[in-house]
Amino acid sequence: MGSPGRKTLSFFLIFVPICLHGTWSQEARPTVQRKPFFQRLHRLEEQFRSFQEVMLTHLQAIASNYNLSYNIDARFQSLAQESQAMALMVNQSQAAMQSDLGHLKTWMRKTHRRSRKVDSRLLALDATLNERSQQRVRERKEQEAQREALSSLTLDMRALQDTLARLVHVVQSQGTRLDTLEGRLQVAGPGTTAPTWPPTQSKPPSPSSPKLQGTRQVLRALSEPRDSPQDFADHLQGTQEPPGSGNQRTWPPERPGEICNLGPALVFPNASTKNVVFLSPGFLLGLRALSVCSWVRTASGHLGTLLSYATEENDNKLVLHGRNSLAPGSIHFVIGDPAFRELPLQLLLDGWWHHVCVIWTSILGKYWLHVDRRLVATGSRFREGYEIPPGGSLVLGQEQDTMGGGFDSSEAFVGSVAGLAIWDRALVPREVSHLATGKEFPPGAILTLANATSISGFVQRVNCTCLELCP
C-alpha cells in the first residue's frame, strides 16, 4: 500500500488525464492566435500547482490508510495475546475446578460412608429400644399375670384356711373322743372286761400306738401360729419361680472345699493397662450358645472386666465388663453392643474364692448366672437368634475399645482367676454343680487357661495343686 511503485502509478494516472484534457481542448478550439509563451507557462504552473494539491491530497489519504492498517495489525496482535492469556486462564480454571470436583467427590464418599454407619447405629439403637419396649410390655403382662395368679392364690389360700379351720375343729372333736376313750381304758381295772366292739368297727388304738401319736402331733402343729396367706403366697411364688434378671437372692457365702487339679492360676496384682492375657486362637466358628465358667477371687471394691471379645466390626461382641463407675459388684454381660444385661455379683467382693458360670443360648435368648452352684439370675429375650462371629481378639483382664487394644485402667480386673473354661454350648445345672465341687469337668471345652499364649504386664502365672493354696 505505501510502496514507491504504487505512488508512481497513482501520479501517472492523475497526470495523464490532465495532459490529455489540455491537448483535446486545444485541438477542439478553432485556430486562433497562440498566446505568448509566458502565459502558457503561467497556466502550466497553475495546473502543476493544482496537480500538486491533488497529489498531496492523495498522498495524505494513502498515509492515513497506511497508519490505519498498521493500527489494525497491532490491535490484532494484542487481541491474539489476550486470547492466549484468556485460554491459559480458562485451562487453569478448568484444572482447579477438576481438583475441587475430585475433593468434593472424596468428601461425598466419606460422608456417605459415615451416614451409612450412623444409619446402621440408629437402626441398631431403634431395634434395641423396640426390644426393650417389647420386653417391658412382656414384663408388665407377666407382672399382671403374676398379680392375678397371686390374687387367685390368695383366694385359694383363704378357702384352704377355711377348710383347715373346719379340719381343726373335726380333729379337735376326734381328739376329745380319743381322750374320753383313754380315760375309760385307764379306769377299767385288771379284772374288768374290755368293751366289746361291733364287728364292723376296729379295736380302738392304744395310747402308745403310732397312729394316736401322729394324731397328737397333727393337733400340736395345728395349734401353733401359722403364716398369713400373703406370706405363704410369697413363699410359694419364691419357690416356684426362678429369680429373674432383676431379682437377687442373698445366699450365705460358701467356702470351697478340696478343689484340686485346676491347672495354673492367673494373678492380676493391680489395675495397670499393661496387665493383659490373650487367649489364642479365639473363636474359630460362630457361637449360638456359650458357657463361661471360672473360679474368681478379688479383694477390690468393684469388679473389673473378666473377659472381652472384639472384632473389626464391633469391639464389644462379648464382654463381662465391670468398672468403678458401676454399682459395687455389678457387671455388664454384653453380646453384640449395645445389647447387655446387668448381672449381680456382690458375693465376689468378700476376698474369697467363688465359682462363677455365665451361660447363654440364642434359643429364646435365655441366659443364666450361677454363683457357687446356685442360680442367682436368669432371663430371656436377650440376643435371640444372634450368632457371635469368629475371628476376633479374646482378652482376659481388660476391656477392648479397639481390637487388641484401647484399654482403660478403670475397667481393669484386679484379683485372681483359676480354672477358666469356655464351652460352645449351654451347660446344664448338674454339670455346673459338678464343676463347682470339683467332681467332674464337662467335656467339649473349646478354650481354657492353657490357651493363654500371651501374658503381659505384671500378671503372674502360678501353679498350685489345690484352690485353697492359690493366691
Side-chain angles (χ1 to χ4, degrees), residues 45-227:
E45 184 179 359
E46 290 178 354
Q47 291 177 356
F48 178 76
R49 286 179 181 175
S50 63
F51 171 76
Q52 188 177 9
E53 291 176 357
V54 173
M55 195 68 179
L56 182 61
T57 302
H58 284 283
L59 289 176
Q60 288 177 352
I62 291 171
S64 63
N65 292 332
Y66 176 78
N67 293 331
L68 181 62
S69 64
Y70 178 78
N71 293 333
I72 290 174
D73 293 337
R75 290 179 182 179
F76 181 77
Q77 291 178 358
S78 64
L79 289 175
Q81 292 177 356
E82 289 177 359
S83 65
Q84 290 178 358
M86 288 291 291
L88 182 61
M89 291 176 62
V90 168
N91 292 333
Q92 293 177 352
S93 300
Q94 288 181 350
M97 187 177 296
Q98 292 293 336
S99 178
D100 293 340
L101 287 175
H103 290 300
L104 184 60
K105 289 180 180 179
T106 305
W107 181 80
M108 288 294 294
R109 285 196 295 269
K110 290 182 180 179
T111 306
H112 185 60
R113 292 175 185 173
R114 291 176 181 175
S115 63
R116 284 190 299 180
K117 290 183 180 179
V118 171
D119 291 339
S120 62
R121 291 180 180 176
L122 289 176
L123 290 175
L125 184 59
D126 186 34
T128 304
L129 291 176
N130 292 333
E131 183 181 357
R132 289 185 179 178
S133 62
Q134 293 176 2
Q135 183 179 3
R136 289 179 181 175
V137 172
R138 287 192 297 267
E139 289 177 354
R140 290 177 183 175
K141 291 182 180 178
E142 291 177 358
Q143 290 178 357
E144 292 177 358
Q146 289 176 359
R147 290 175 184 173
E148 293 177 357
L150 185 60
S151 60
S152 64
L153 185 60
T154 304
L155 296 175
D156 294 341
M157 285 301 305
R158 290 178 181 174
L160 183 60
Q161 270 192 334
D162 296 338
T163 304
L164 287 176
R166 290 194 295 269
L167 288 176
V168 167
H169 180 69
V170 173
V171 172
Q172 286 178 352
S173 63
Q174 294 293 333
T176 303
R177 293 178 63 185
L178 288 174
D179 292 338
T180 302
L181 291 175
E182 279 187 27
R184 291 179 181 180
L185 289 175
Q186 290 177 359
V187 170
T192 305
T193 306
T196 304
W197 300 92
T200 58
Q201 188 175 2
S202 61
K203 184 178 179 180
S206 63
S208 60
S209 65
K211 184 176 181 180
L212 185 58
Q213 291 178 358
T215 304
R216 289 175 178 172
Q217 292 176 359
V218 171
L219 289 174
R220 285 195 297 270
L222 291 173
S223 63
E224 295 177 354
R226 296 179 301 276
D227 298 333

Side-chain angles (χ1 to χ4, degrees), residues 131 360-365 381-386:
E131 183 181 357
W360 168 80
T361 176
S362 62
I363 301 175
L364 300 180
R381 305 295 179 182
F382 177 45
R383 281 303 189 184
E384 182 178 358
Y386 185 75

Side-chain angles (χ1 to χ4, degrees), residues 147-418:
R147 290 175 184 173
E148 293 177 357
L150 185 60
S151 60
S152 64
L153 185 60
T154 304
L155 296 175
D156 294 341
M157 285 301 305
R158 290 178 181 174
L160 183 60
Q161 270 192 334
D162 296 338
T163 304
L164 287 176
R166 290 194 295 269
L167 288 176
V168 167
H169 180 69
V170 173
V171 172
Q172 286 178 352
S173 63
Q174 294 293 333
T176 303
R177 293 178 63 185
L178 288 174
D179 292 338
T180 302
L181 291 175
E182 279 187 27
R184 291 179 181 180
L185 289 175
Q186 290 177 359
V187 170
T192 305
T193 306
T196 304
W197 300 92
T200 58
Q201 188 175 2
S202 61
K203 184 178 179 180
S206 63
S208 60
S209 65
K211 184 176 181 180
L212 185 58
Q213 291 178 358
T215 304
R216 289 175 178 172
Q217 292 176 359
V218 171
L219 289 174
R220 285 195 297 270
L222 291 173
S223 63
E224 295 177 354
R226 296 179 301 276
D227 298 333
S228 64
Q230 184 66 31
D231 296 337
F232 186 73
D234 293 340
H235 176 69
L236 286 178
Q237 185 180 6
T239 55
Q240 291 177 358
E241 295 184 1
S245 59
N247 301 330
Q248 302 178 13
R249 293 186 179 182
T250 303
W251 303 97
E254 273 198 3
R255 303 290 180 262
E258 289 293 329
I259 308 296
C260 300
N261 300 323
L262 290 177
L266 298 178
V267 181
F268 297 80
N270 53 46
S272 172
T273 56
K274 296 180 181 179
N275 298 340
V276 60
V277 176
F278 288 88
L279 296 183
S280 181
F283 299 146
L284 300 178
L285 300 174
L287 300 180
R288 291 188 172 272
L290 182 77
S291 297
V292 180
C293 299
S294 177
W295 286 96
V296 179
R297 180 178 184 177
T298 179
S300 177
H302 69 279
L303 283 174
T305 302
L306 297 177
L307 180 142
S308 172
Y309 179 69
T311 62
E312 293 289 349
E313 177 186 359
N314 192 333
D315 58 354
N316 291 325
K317 282 297 184 181
L318 171 64
V319 185
L320 291 174
H321 163 242
R323 60 183 302 156
N324 52 13
S325 62
L326 297 177
S330 297
I331 194 168
H332 284 177
F333 178 33
V334 183
I335 295 181
D337 188 38
F340 73 93
R341 292 292 183 269
E342 187 169 346
L343 303 180
L345 288 175
Q346 289 85 354
L347 295 176
L348 273 63
L349 300 180
D350 58 359
W352 295 86
W353 283 104
H354 293 276
H355 189 262
V356 180
C357 266
V358 180
I359 303 171
W360 168 80
T361 176
S362 62
I363 301 175
L364 300 180
K366 292 186 176 181
Y367 67 93
W368 301 265
L369 171 64
H370 296 267
V371 178
D372 297 332
R373 298 180 298 162
R374 295 187 176 96
L375 182 62
V376 176
T378 184
S380 60
R381 305 295 179 182
F382 177 45
R383 281 303 189 184
E384 182 178 358
Y386 185 75
E387 178 178 316
I388 301 175
S393 172
L394 186 58
V395 168
L396 301 181
Q398 299 285 349
E399 199 276 330
Q400 305 176 80
D401 288 337
T402 59
M403 187 171 173
F407 305 140
D408 187 353
S409 60
S410 63
E411 301 169 334
F413 172 74
V414 180
S416 302
V417 175

